[in-house]
Amino acid sequence: MRIEYLVSAGGREAVLYFSGWSFTPDAVRHLAAPEGCDVLACWAYGDSLPDMDLTAYRRVRIVAWSMGCLMAERAAAHWRARGLLCGEVVSAVAVNSTPRPRDRRFGIAPAVFDAVLARLTPQRYAAFRQSCGAAAAHLAARPFDGAAAELAALARHTAAPAAEPLPWCRALVGLRDRVFPPSAQQRYWQPRCAVGTADAPHYLFDRYRDWQQLWQG
């Protein structure tokens, strides 16, 4: 997993963004940060979770898109266990995702997930990107080989024991999501936190100007 500063303000608060599969931080680079707040993007997932010293931050907000929802829980648990994340996680927002991405009821059906992984080709990879929405077609994509390796690693993460849940406060569901079934998202989140919906596809960050809009609703 790569971790990249999008904003380095030297503050005591941070937004941790966890990307969806195959996307780079360009997907959210246009979002304005809260004043004095750092923004870090986690992306390009692999089998290992890097150690990242986040002890300088007193307050942390998490925004997780797509497969990033699973990885946010796994990374936060990893950092907590090593004393690298000591500040309060004041909010966690899931965007077109759940922490159970390969799941018959709460995510992508296992047969569908496994078929995408087994049959991935450059052409099908391009088709996946198009299915994320028109705005996603203009965003930087990881090279095919790297994206294929990333998806294989994510599949292994889905088979690992579940991590400690984050304090999810809001889920944002795109009703035209062709990747992560909206019905599965709503089924998972409605008993757990506030759910907002949008007439949007899988990639919907182009509808927002700043990070606060995601957790304020």
Side-chain angles (χ1 to χ4, degrees), residues 138-215:
H138 304 290
L139 297 171
R142 295 197 67 199
F144 172 74
D145 288 346
E150 180 183 5
L151 185 59
L154 287 166
R156 291 187 285 272
H157 281 291
T158 67
E164 180 180 351
L166 286 165
W168 300 105
C169 65
R170 186 169 188 254
L172 182 57
V173 179
L175 298 177
R176 290 188 286 112
D177 192 338
R178 294 170 55 196
V179 176
F180 221 115
S183 59
Q185 296 180 56
Q186 292 173 314
R187 189 179 299 118
Y188 183 84
W189 290 117
Q190 282 175 348
R192 292 174 169 85
C193 69
V195 178
T197 60
D199 181 22
H202 191 58
Y203 174 76
L204 46 66
F205 292 109
D206 59 311
R207 296 165 175 258
Y208 297 89
R209 300 182 307 275
D210 57 59
W211 290 100
Q212 292 101 310
Q213 290 177 287
L214 294 167
W215 57 76

Side-chain angles (χ1 to χ4, degrees), residues 14-197:
V15 174
L16 299 182
Y17 163 70
F18 289 82
S19 179
W21 169 56
S22 83
F23 283 84
T24 76
D26 284 355
V28 295
R29 209 177 291 275
H30 65 285
L31 296 176
E35 185 176 355
C37 186
D38 290 355
V39 179
L40 297 85
C42 304
W43 61 293
Y45 307 116
D47 287 306
S48 62
L49 295 169
D51 289 341
M52 179 69 181
D53 188 354
L54 301 169
T55 55
Y57 300 116
R58 292 179 299 190
R59 290 162 52 92
V60 172
R61 294 185 183 274
I62 290 174
V63 176
W65 175 40
S66 194
M67 296 298 290
C69 194
L70 166 73
M71 298 308 295
E73 290 201 339
R74 295 185 63 75
H78 174 85
W79 294 329
R80 286 280 194 206
R82 286 158 177 74
L84 300 171
L85 176 59
C86 303
E88 179 188 5
V89 177
V90 295
S91 68
V93 178
V95 181
N96 278 338
S97 57
T98 77
R100 295 169 63 173
R102 184 184 176 275
D103 189 281
R104 182 179 60 84
R105 296 189 68 239
F106 298 130
I108 301 166
V112 174
F113 190 105
D114 296 347
V116 171
L117 176 61
R119 301 170 188 169
L120 191 64
T121 64
Q123 293 74 25
R124 288 178 173 147
Y125 177 41
F128 161 77
R129 301 274 305 190
Q130 292 173 356
S131 74
C132 293
H138 304 290
L139 297 171
R142 295 197 67 199
F144 172 74
D145 288 346
E150 180 183 5
L151 185 59
L154 287 166
R156 291 187 285 272
H157 281 291
T158 67
E164 180 180 351
L166 286 165
W168 300 105
C169 65
R170 186 169 188 254
L172 182 57
V173 179
L175 298 177
R176 290 188 286 112
D177 192 338
R178 294 170 55 196
V179 176
F180 221 115
S183 59
Q185 296 180 56
Q186 292 173 314
R187 189 179 299 118
Y188 183 84
W189 290 117
Q190 282 175 348
R192 292 174 169 85
C193 69
V195 178
T197 60

